[in-house]
Amino acid sequence: YSSVRYRGLYDGIDVRVREQTGQLEYELLLAPGANLEKAVIRAEGALGLELADDGALILKTPAGPLRQTPPVTWEESPNGEKRPIESRFRIIDAQRYGFEVPGRDLALALVIDPGLEWSTFLGGSNREEIHGLALTRDGSGDVVVAGHTWSSDFPTAPAGSLGSSPLIPFVARLNSTGT
C-alpha cells in the first residue's frame, strides 16, 4: 500500500500515513467543523520540544535533535478546490504538540501535512517488532534499529534462517539516505 488511513482517530479527524518520494509522511484530515485542538500528538521519549526560527518542530532526544519541517496546510472546498492556508506547530508540553491554523474556515475540510526530515521503510512481508531505536553517537546521523521479524524476506534475514522458529532477531544500521 502507498498509504494507510486511520479513520476517526479523533471526532471528525483522520490520519493518513503515506510514502512520498521515499519518505514516510503523515497528514491530519479534518472534516468541516472538526475541532483541531483535539488532535494532540505525543512524542514518547522526547526530553522536550521547541520551535525553530523557521517554524520547524525540534524534538529533543537523548541521542540528539529530531526535526519536523513546518506543516503545509490547505482547505478543501466541496468541489475539491484546494486553498493554501497558514499553519504552525503548537507545543503543549515537553512531549505533546498539536497545530494552529489561524483564519481557518470551519465550513471547509482541512489537510495538515507536516514534513519529516528523514525516514525510511524497513521490513518484510510478515510482521516486525521494533524493540529499540537510537541515533548513533558518532555524528554520522545514522540510526540503529533492533527488534524481531517473522518475515522470511526481511532485508537482513539470511536464506533459510527461519528454520523451525518463526522469529529471528535483527539489528540494522540505516544511514542518512535510508539504506
Side-chain angles (χ1 to χ4, degrees), residues 22-92:
Q23 299 288 335
L24 181 66
E25 296 192 7
Y26 69 99
E27 299 170 324
L28 275 67
L29 310 169
L30 285 79
N35 183 355
L36 180 57
E37 288 189 16
K38 298 275 185 185
V40 175
I41 299 169
R42 182 172 180 227
E44 188 171 332
L47 302 175
L49 304 172
E50 69 181 42
L51 293 175
D53 292 339
D54 67 353
L57 178 68
I58 308 298
L59 290 84
K60 298 176 188 176
T61 75
L66 297 175
R67 178 182 165 90
Q68 287 192 51
T69 57
V72 175
T73 304
W74 61 92
E75 293 176 324
E76 291 185 354
S77 66
N79 67 3
E81 182 182 333
K82 296 178 181 180
R83 182 178 72 90
I85 188 167
E86 176 189 342
S87 66
R88 59 184 165 261
F89 289 105
R90 173 176 63 97
I91 294 177
I92 299 167

Side-chain angles (χ1 to χ4, degrees), residues 51-164:
L51 293 175
D53 292 339
D54 67 353
L57 178 68
I58 308 298
L59 290 84
K60 298 176 188 176
T61 75
L66 297 175
R67 178 182 165 90
Q68 287 192 51
T69 57
V72 175
T73 304
W74 61 92
E75 293 176 324
E76 291 185 354
S77 66
N79 67 3
E81 182 182 333
K82 296 178 181 180
R83 182 178 72 90
I85 188 167
E86 176 189 342
S87 66
R88 59 184 165 261
F89 289 105
R90 173 176 63 97
I91 294 177
I92 299 167
D93 60 32
Q95 290 189 326
R96 297 181 309 143
Y97 67 94
F99 302 92
E100 294 177 342
V101 183
R104 174 183 174 208
D105 183 346
L106 287 173
L108 299 177
L110 182 72
V111 177
I112 302 173
D113 184 5
L116 297 177
E117 289 280 313
W118 180 90
S119 69
T120 190
F121 293 101
L122 178 66
S125 60
N126 198 336
R127 175 178 157 198
E128 282 74 42
E129 289 182 0
I130 303 296
H131 299 288
L133 174 85
L135 290 172
T136 60
R137 297 178 190 262
D138 61 7
S140 67
D142 292 359
V143 175
V144 176
V145 180
H148 290 92
T149 182
W150 284 258
S151 300
S152 60
D153 61 345
F154 188 82
T156 61
S161 62
L162 288 180
S164 61

